[in-house]
């Protein structure tokens, strides 16, 4: 059988990135993430797409959505070269959801739910390894040595969009644009809601069971 197609949905800070890495490893599929793809190409010239700004950087630093044409192209290319995948960070609005329907089918649609207060705490205290991308938290998940990644020794940094103003805007953008997308998937056969406020291992246990159930 072909490798599994997983979509993981949820607000910023819900743990999509962490859980997607585990899905990719456990089920031997590709981790397709628009956030990482855009962070690696923040200064690409998108002026020919008739966008308000000439690069993704301005949108991302404010916590606004990068224009659909840019992200649709990234996802289309990534999915074409992937057999199985876990898709993380897309779709974030109805137009992107319609594009995705035209691009591929989905076996499992996971939705991580976390309260807004918890998300603000998680995101504003988050620190990320500049080298390997592992997440830490100033209070809930401190590294052994201050500012240094436990996994690879890289430097821990705060993402430019993890300041309070951008975080609040990102959560508003989620409520206005992405929450309706999740509601649209709710009746699909492969839809599974997961309590994202559990420990990462408990969240993983739910996710692993849900994906196993569909493979
Ligand atoms: P993330 O790492 O998923 O939180 O994404 C970081 C930022 O990248 C977002 O706040 C957006 O500015 C941009 N971004 C990521 N995915 C998308 C998407 N599907 N549509 C538009 N913008 C996106």
């Amino acid at each position: 059988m072909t490798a599994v197609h997983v979509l993981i949905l949820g607000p910023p800070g819900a743990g999509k990135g962490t859980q997607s890495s585990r899905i990719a490893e456990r089920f031997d599929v590709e981790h397709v993430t628009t956030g990482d793809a855009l962070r690696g190409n923040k200064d690409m010239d998108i002026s020919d797409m008739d966008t308000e700004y000439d690069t993704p950087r301005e949108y991302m630093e404010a916590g606004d959505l990068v224009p659909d044409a840019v992200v649709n192209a990234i996802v289309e290319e990534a999915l074409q070269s992937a057999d199985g995948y876990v898709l993380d960070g897309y779709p974030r609005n109805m137009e992107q959801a319609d594009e995705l329907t035209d691009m591929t089918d989905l076996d499992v649609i996971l939705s991580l739910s976390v309260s807004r207060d918890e998300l603000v705490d998680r995101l504003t205290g988050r620190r990320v390894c500049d080298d390997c991308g592992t997440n830490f938290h100033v209070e809930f998940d401190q590294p052994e040595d201050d500012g240094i990644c436990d996994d690879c020794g890289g430097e821990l940094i705060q993402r430019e969009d993890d300041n309070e103003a951008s975080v609040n805007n990102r959560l508003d953008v989620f409520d206005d644009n992405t929450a309706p997308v999740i509601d649209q998937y709710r009746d699909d056969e492969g839809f599974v809601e997961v309590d994202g406020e559990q420990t990462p291992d408990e969240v993983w246990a739910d996710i692993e069971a849900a994906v196993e159930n569909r493979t």
Side-chain angles (χ1 to χ4, degrees), residues 10-29:
K16 300 188 299 294
T18 304
Q19 298 296 337
S20 293
S21 299
R22 294 182 80 160
I23 295 170
E25 196 179 321
R26 162 70 179 81
F27 295 98
D28 195 19
V29 291

Side-chain angles (χ1 to χ4, degrees), residues 113-198:
S113 52
V114 177
S115 72
R116 183 162 179 137
D117 284 351
E118 169 80 14
L119 293 168
V120 172
D121 286 349
R122 285 187 187 184
L123 289 166
T124 53
R126 177 162 72 177
R127 298 293 181 272
V128 185
C129 176
D130 204 18
D131 286 341
C132 72
T134 301
N135 286 337
F136 295 84
H137 192 279
V138 289
E139 210 180 316
F140 313 136
D141 186 10
Q142 296 173 352
E144 267 174 37
D145 297 319
D146 213 18
I148 310 279
C149 176
D150 290 349
D151 289 356
C152 77
E155 185 193 356
L156 301 187
I157 56 159
Q158 182 170 35
R159 261 172 57 170
E160 275 160 358
D161 58 354
D162 278 347
N163 64 77
E164 205 163 333
S166 298
V167 163
N168 276 305
N169 188 42
R170 284 157 69 202
L171 295 174
D172 289 344
V173 167
F174 172 82
D175 288 342
D176 293 345
N177 297 274
T178 317
V181 171
I182 297 179
D183 285 338
Q184 183 186 257
Y185 283 118
R186 236 167 248 285
D187 294 333
D188 283 18
E189 213 188 321
F191 185 89
V192 180
E193 176 125 31
V194 175
D195 175 2
E197 293 203 13
Q198 306 176 95

Side-chain angles (χ1 to χ4, degrees), residues 27-46:
F27 295 98
D28 195 19
V29 291
E30 247 176 79
H31 182 188
V32 176
T33 151
T34 47
D36 284 356
L38 289 166
R39 268 185 291 283
N41 294 282
K42 266 189 181 170
D43 292 314
M44 75 175 158
D45 184 0
I46 55 172

Side-chain angles (χ1 to χ4, degrees), residues 46-116:
I46 55 172
S47 55
D48 61 332
M49 291 184 176
D50 201 21
T51 50
E52 187 182 351
Y53 299 114
D54 289 344
T55 68
R57 178 181 290 278
E58 289 88 346
Y59 298 96
M60 295 175 76
E61 287 181 1
D64 288 331
L65 294 184
V66 173
D68 290 346
V70 179
V71 280
N72 291 342
I74 290 172
V75 173
E76 182 144 33
E77 195 186 325
L79 295 192
Q80 265 168 11
S81 59
D83 181 11
Y85 59 80
V86 50
L87 178 58
D88 155 21
Y90 180 98
R92 269 175 145 100
N93 62 26
M94 288 296 197
E95 292 72 23
Q96 294 179 12
D98 290 344
E99 284 288 320
L100 184 63
T101 304
D102 291 341
M103 280 182 224
T104 187
D105 55 348
L106 297 167
D107 301 308
V108 195
I109 302 154
L110 302 165
S111 170
L112 295 182
S113 52
V114 177
S115 72
R116 183 162 179 137

